[in-house]
Amino acid sequence: MKSFKIPKSPDDTVKDILLFLLKNEKVGSIFALSKVHNNNHAYTLITDKELLSNITPTYPLMLANAGKMISRLTMIEAVKSPVAVVLRPCELRALFELVKLEQAKLDNLLFVSFTCGGVFPIKTKKDGLENKLKEYWENVKTGEDFQELRESCRICENFVPDNADIILQLAGNDTNTGTSVLIKTEKGAGFLEGIRDQFDEGSLESTTLDTIRGKRKERKQKTFADLKTEDFGIEGLINIFGRCINCHACSKACPACYCKLCYFESADSESDPSTFEIELKKRKAIRLPADTVFYHLGRLTHVGFTCVGCGMCSDVCPTNIPVSTIFSKVSERIQKAFEYTPGKDLEEKVPMSIFEMKEFEDVED
């Protein structure tokens, strides 16, 4: 695999690559996280070379799963001129799942990604995220646990972007001395033709990444064991999901929730006064809003195969329900049963969309 090193920080390395692509008219625009007015951040689509100075692609904040943003950009039709898209691994995997579900198109997209150290919860931005960046990058280098990150990031084993064309090696690397870049695909090599006279040989995997993956796997096993979903029962489900206020923020933030009309936002899901009267006669009191457990079980049924564990659902929950951790634990068992890793292989169909005559023959009637 071709590689080269730029003696700059990760963000400046990405800027150099994207500036090369724009200057040489290899792409028409850039999609990346950027700093906007008042020190805020937002995903932006850029065509002006001067505005590349504002991009902050490796800034440890995920305001939305950008896979969903690219879906909205390409759902109706593919982009007509090449776009360089900078995504985190879970955002890229989410996009690939959305392509399988016919919610996005990959034509004319060049993917730049990096081995990911994780992101902070969105609320950390208000609590002084800038003061935590030095410690964050030290943890990216060593792979040690950083408790202030999203829980989903602390237990993520899929932090290496399998499907990117160009990959920056961040996790497990000291970026103070420069940033290593790998060209993973022929498409990536074609776009970067001319950026260097000579290239080195590099490898994406390493013992350092294996060590980081092992540490995260251990944390995940402990987190899942502490959650004890197998002991929930109806009372456990009510205790956890009963504090849901039915805002549906989790489904809005989730890249895998793609239904044009969600049952839980349709008139069919609303209860009329007679229904409440019948329930009150039987139970003397009812919890409002109603059916919050049903809502979360319904959503889990829909996204169990395609959940990429990005953590957006937990991050936006106003009542601090550990939605992502619960969904990740259950989804892992579903995905393992079908030997399916969401977003890894574009040619592998979502299990729920296909039928196998001899599937689960060992399951008794």
Side-chain angles (χ1 to χ4, degrees):
M1 197 181 302
K2 290 181 178 178
S3 71
F4 59 95
K5 189 170 185 176
I6 296 179
K8 294 183 178 181
S9 69
D11 275 356
D12 286 340
T13 297
V14 177
K15 289 174 187 177
D16 278 7
I17 293 171
L18 298 180
L19 183 59
F20 168 81
L21 294 172
L22 272 180
K23 271 186 173 180
N24 290 276
E25 298 182 347
K26 299 196 176 215
V27 299
S29 56
I30 305 293
F31 176 93
L33 183 69
S34 299
K35 184 180 288 187
V36 294
H37 48 78
N38 296 327
N39 202 33
N40 290 318
H41 288 76
Y43 294 106
T44 53
L45 195 60
I46 300 170
T47 57
D48 187 338
K49 296 188 292 291
E50 301 300 322
L51 295 178
L52 282 182
S53 60
N54 296 329
I55 70 168
T56 56
T58 67
Y59 189 73
L61 194 67
M62 187 189 292
L63 301 165
N65 188 302
K68 196 166 186 174
M69 302 297 103
I70 299 299
S71 168
R72 296 176 70 173
L73 181 66
T74 64
M75 186 186 301
I76 296 176
E77 63 180 6
V79 292
K80 293 180 179 171
S81 62
V83 181
V85 177
V86 187
L87 299 177
R88 291 182 179 272
C90 63
E91 295 175 316
L92 185 55
R93 289 190 295 118
L95 176 60
F96 271 48
E97 286 301 288
L98 289 167
V99 170
K100 296 180 189 181
L101 297 166
E102 300 182 358
Q103 300 297 301
K105 298 173 181 62
L106 298 181
D107 311 58
N108 287 323
L109 299 182
L110 174 73
F111 294 114
V112 181
S113 189
F114 43 88
T115 52
C116 183
V119 299
F120 290 94
I122 296 172
K123 66 179 181 181
T124 308
K125 179 65 176 174
K126 296 189 297 183
D127 299 335
L129 189 152
E130 307 299 327
N131 299 327
K132 306 177 190 295
L133 290 179
K134 183 177 180 180
E135 186 179 1
Y136 169 80
W137 284 108
E138 281 299 313
N139 278 271
V140 170
K141 179 174 67 177
T142 62
E144 294 300 321
D145 188 20
F146 194 6
Q147 294 186 7
E148 294 189 58
L149 296 180
R150 279 185 184 173
E151 186 167 70
S152 58
C153 297
R154 294 172 61 206
I155 64 175
C156 175
E157 298 177 62
N158 297 307
F159 58 94
V160 176
D162 293 306
N163 297 310
D165 301 298
I166 301 165
I167 300 172
L168 277 67
Q169 294 182 296
L170 305 187
N173 287 272
D174 185 359
T175 55
N176 290 320
T177 60
T179 306
S180 296
V181 181
L182 290 173
I183 305 174
K184 190 170 187 289
T185 65
E186 291 184 8
K187 181 197 286 187
F191 274 89
L192 290 186
E193 185 176 356
I195 197 170
R196 284 284 187 281
D197 293 330
Q198 291 183 323
F199 294 94
D200 299 319
E201 285 297 316
S203 174
L204 184 56
E205 290 296 335
S206 68
T207 54
T208 304
L209 291 182
D210 289 340
T211 300
I212 294 174
R213 191 176 286 112
K215 290 177 180 178
R216 293 190 182 186
K217 184 175 182 177
E218 286 180 11
R219 286 197 294 273
K220 180 172 72 173
Q221 290 172 341
K222 183 180 185 306
T223 300
F224 285 178
D226 291 343
L227 192 60
K228 299 185 185 302
T229 52
E230 55 275 4
D231 297 333
F232 273 9
I234 189 62
E235 287 190 14
L237 289 170
I238 291 172
N239 287 336
I240 291 228
F241 293 127
R243 64 179 184 263
C244 171
I245 61 171
N246 251 357
C247 67
H248 296 179
C250 53
S251 66
K252 295 292 189 296
C254 175
C257 270
Y258 63 91
C259 295
K260 291 182 179 179
L261 177 62
C262 173
Y263 165 79
F264 295 102
E265 294 186 349
S266 69
D268 291 341
S269 69
E270 298 294 335
S271 298
D272 55 40
S274 62
T275 301
F276 287 121
E277 289 175 9
I278 293 169
E279 289 298 309
L280 282 169
K281 284 180 181 179
K282 289 191 296 185
R283 296 157 54 187
K284 307 304 179 187
I286 54 175
R287 181 193 297 257
L288 295 176
D291 295 332
T292 55
V293 173
F294 181 37
Y295 163 71
H296 286 282
L297 292 178
R299 223 174 70 76
L300 183 55
T301 302
H302 270 210
V303 305
F305 288 109
T306 55
C307 175
V308 296
C310 67
M312 281 304 309
C313 51
S314 285
D315 212 4
V316 299
C317 179
T319 57
N320 297 318
I321 298 171
V323 187
S324 176
T325 309
I326 295 170
F327 276 41
S328 292
K329 180 176 180 178
V330 178
S331 294
E332 182 178 71
R333 296 181 67 177
I334 295 171
Q335 293 162 10
K336 185 177 180 180
F338 285 87
E339 299 179 345
Y340 181 75
T341 302
K344 186 171 184 179
D345 183 356
L346 191 61
E347 301 303 317
E348 186 179 14
K349 294 183 179 180
V350 180
M352 194 165 58
S353 69
I354 57 178
F355 173 73
E356 298 287 347
M357 286 292 294
K358 296 185 178 181
E359 197 167 56
F360 291 126
E361 287 186 306
D362 55 337
V363 177
E364 296 181 359
D365 294 335

